[in-house]
Amino acid sequence: MAGRLLFICQLLVRDLRRRRTETVLLLVAITAATATLTLGLTLNEIADRPYQQTRTATAGPDVIVTPRTTGQAALDELAARTTAAGVTDHSGPFPIAYLTMTAHGRSAHAVVEGRDDAPVSIDRPAVTDGTWVRPGGVVVERAFADALGIRTGDTVSIDGHPLRVTGTAVTAARATYPYAGWHYSGSVLVERGGLVWVDRSDIATLAGSQSLSYTLNLKLADPAASATYPVGDQLTTWQAIDRLNGRLYSDAQMTLLVGSWLLSGLALAGVAGIVAGRIIGQRRRVGLLKAVGAGPAMIAAIHLAEYLVIGLAAAATGLVTGWFAAPVLIRPSAGLIGSVNAQPPALRTVIAATALALTIAVAATLVPVVRAAATSTIHALADAATPPRRRRWRIWLSRRLPTALLIGVRINARRPRRARLVTVNTLITTTALVAVLIVNTQAVHFDLGYTALANPRVERGEQATLVLTVVVCVLALVNAVVSTWTAVLDARQPLAVARTLGATPGQAGVGLALAQLLPAVPGVAVGIPAGIGLVAFVSIGEVQYPPGSWLLATALGVLLAVAALTAVPAMVATRRPVVDTLRSAPT
């Protein structure tokens, strides 16, 4: 047993050294899928770290109480909250008003909170620029200020009252822009808006005839117990605020998770193509191993061990790549402080990425490996492909085809599995590109009552979409090159025979290119509706579709890319002298 394991390890190391390019391509294909999955799974795990850091730095409350009543009735209701069971400390009540702020000609909903200059024990907003509130001035929540282009020293208007911006700050007591919780007085329907602070002495003047609301910050003996509070329009827990902030990353997470499915399919097709090429080149070795006594189990173990090792290496590489890429992709909101630290992935992420890598490696290699192990010794030593099945209608049709097209059809007839991999590759690539095209046509903005501003949630989704697009294009490119290389490797003798029967090098090269282009056509044709259906399935709300000309251009672009990637190596392969090719064929 030990001798067999040593023999398998020796062959494994030898193959990895001799076929370095193929090994790197396998590693890249599987790593792309595992890295994207790692990014998607770790997004939620690390996105809340800036909020936790902000909560610590600003002495964030555990529960925020904002009664629906106003004036003295609200104060009476909040007074009983300060002595409730489990409450250890409180700050406030602070007066608030739901008004309109105008800056640089743009108006937006603003939750105006009156504060004192003296610090409090709970909810001390951290000033990031300028100074804290003073009479006649306003402090703007930093994310809100960035959205409106407000800087310290600017003058803004709140319900017609001009105020000078004395600074910007962040807090953990309310969700960052645009989820500050603006609503009309007495209404439970929350609208989007931003948060500002003013001196307590100014808020009555700013509110005018509007009755003031109030908010109270509570600290509990057990902060985790706040999760059991009945969250509603009057009570908000710090966990609920954390979830609201996390919504800014939901589109990016969905993009990466769906992208990992598509990349898994691309990786599966790419690995299967590479494995097919490797096994074609190793047919004679399979015959030699069988001739010296190796059984089917030994042959399968030799091949599978190599791909399992590559799969494990790709899983580790993907985890590390996703680990380091996550802090770059996940930029904290301007309304939070702190940073996204690269911490080791969670155990479930490690297990998921490893399982994905091994599944791709085994699923793509199992069928060709089993076929190679079951091949007879004589057939393996002969290194000959299984002849295509003869059908009268096929023979009748082939007589009427141009020479180049006939060569392409015959190549695919000899290796139908490889043709199906080309179809899968173009199908997934077209699906991903169409989905990205549709996502980029969505003009989504936040309506802040009077002004439509850019949606920060969509901006993060676009960043993830860009990453996914680049990875899909690179992986599809690798797959196309590998598929062409496998076809050239397998068709060198049939093409040489075709040339001896009168086919020109140009016809042989075009035929080899057509062998890749023909199965790509149905993949592109199905990929367009598949991309549209994918976006419709994962989207919430109405989907805006791009013009038909854009979809047609995408389809033609994919087919032109396939033709360009296959034509050059195909033409180069047919320049080899026929005599040299036939002389190298097994006899």
Side-chain angles (χ1 to χ4, degrees), residues 37-56:
L37 178 64
T38 300
L39 274 172
L41 292 178
T42 58
L43 195 58
N44 273 349
E45 297 174 6
I46 68 177
D48 63 344
R49 293 175 191 165
Y51 176 75
Q52 297 295 342
Q53 295 170 5
T54 305
R55 176 172 154 79
T56 301

Side-chain angles (χ1 to χ4, degrees), residues 245-308:
N245 289 332
R247 288 177 60 183
L248 295 174
Y249 304 94
S250 59
D251 287 351
Q253 183 184 36
M254 178 61 70
T255 298
L256 291 172
L257 290 178
V258 173
S260 68
W261 305 341
L262 296 175
L263 288 174
S264 298
L266 276 178
L268 191 63
V271 172
I274 297 173
V275 170
R278 289 169 75 98
I279 291 181
I280 288 173
Q282 294 175 342
R283 273 197 300 246
R284 288 180 61 82
R285 190 183 75 169
V286 171
L288 292 174
L289 289 173
K290 287 193 170 187
V292 297
M298 174 66 81
I299 300 296
I302 291 173
H303 285 88
L304 282 176
E306 180 179 351
Y307 301 118
L308 288 176

Side-chain angles (χ1 to χ4, degrees), residues 314-391:
T317 306
L319 283 167
V320 172
T321 303
W323 174 27
F324 283 109
V328 178
L329 180 63
I330 306 172
R331 295 182 298 104
S333 167
L336 301 173
I337 59 177
S339 60
V340 178
N341 301 318
Q343 298 182 7
L347 179 60
R348 71 181 186 92
T349 302
V350 175
I351 294 175
T354 304
L356 176 63
L358 294 181
T359 299
I360 292 174
V362 173
T365 60
L366 190 60
V367 173
V369 165
V370 170
R371 286 180 178 175
T375 303
S376 66
T377 304
I378 296 176
H379 185 71
L381 290 173
D383 194 13
T386 302
R389 296 179 180 180
R390 306 290 181 181
R391 295 289 187 272

Side-chain angles (χ1 to χ4, degrees), residues 112-154:
V112 183
E113 182 175 333
R115 297 297 293 261
D116 301 311
D117 183 51
V120 293
S121 59
I122 304 173
D123 184 26
R124 298 189 297 269
V127 177
T128 57
D129 187 39
T131 60
W132 186 230
V133 296
R134 60 174 180 260
V138 60
V139 177
V140 185
E141 191 258 337
R142 186 168 62 175
F144 191 31
D146 283 357
L148 289 172
I150 297 173
R151 297 292 179 266
T152 299
D154 291 350

Side-chain angles (χ1 to χ4, degrees), residues 76-320:
D76 294 340
E77 182 178 342
L78 292 175
R81 298 281 187 177
T82 60
T83 57
V87 175
T88 60
D89 197 3
H90 73 278
S91 65
F94 300 113
I96 56 175
Y98 304 100
L99 306 174
T100 300
M101 184 175 73
T102 302
H104 304 303
R106 295 184 294 182
S107 299
H109 291 152
V111 179
V112 183
E113 182 175 333
R115 297 297 293 261
D116 301 311
D117 183 51
V120 293
S121 59
I122 304 173
D123 184 26
R124 298 189 297 269
V127 177
T128 57
D129 187 39
T131 60
W132 186 230
V133 296
R134 60 174 180 260
V138 60
V139 177
V140 185
E141 191 258 337
R142 186 168 62 175
F144 191 31
D146 283 357
L148 289 172
I150 297 173
R151 297 292 179 266
T152 299
D154 291 350
T155 298
V156 300
S157 173
I158 297 182
D159 269 24
H161 297 84
L163 296 172
R164 186 173 180 274
V165 178
T166 61
T168 59
V170 298
T171 181
R174 282 184 182 268
T176 184
Y177 160 83
Y179 302 119
W182 192 97
H183 62 84
Y184 289 101
S185 180
S187 173
V188 297
L189 299 178
V190 177
E191 300 188 22
R192 299 183 179 96
L195 173 66
V196 300
W197 298 271
V198 298
D199 190 88
R200 187 192 288 261
S201 62
D202 291 336
I203 192 168
T205 302
L206 298 176
S209 60
Q210 182 183 133
S211 298
L212 294 177
S213 301
Y214 288 88
T215 183
L216 177 69
N217 301 312
L218 301 179
K219 196 73 174 177
L220 304 182
D222 181 11
S226 59
T228 62
Y229 266 60
V231 180
D233 61 299
Q234 301 186 70
L235 286 172
T236 305
T237 66
W238 68 268
Q239 293 95 336
I241 296 175
D242 192 14
R243 286 193 295 271
L244 273 177
N245 289 332
R247 288 177 60 183
L248 295 174
Y249 304 94
S250 59
D251 287 351
Q253 183 184 36
M254 178 61 70
T255 298
L256 291 172
L257 290 178
V258 173
S260 68
W261 305 341
L262 296 175
L263 288 174
S264 298
L266 276 178
L268 191 63
V271 172
I274 297 173
V275 170
R278 289 169 75 98
I279 291 181
I280 288 173
Q282 294 175 342
R283 273 197 300 246
R284 288 180 61 82
R285 190 183 75 169
V286 171
L288 292 174
L289 289 173
K290 287 193 170 187
V292 297
M298 174 66 81
I299 300 296
I302 291 173
H303 285 88
L304 282 176
E306 180 179 351
Y307 301 118
L308 288 176
V309 169
I310 294 175
L312 289 173
T317 306
L319 283 167
V320 172

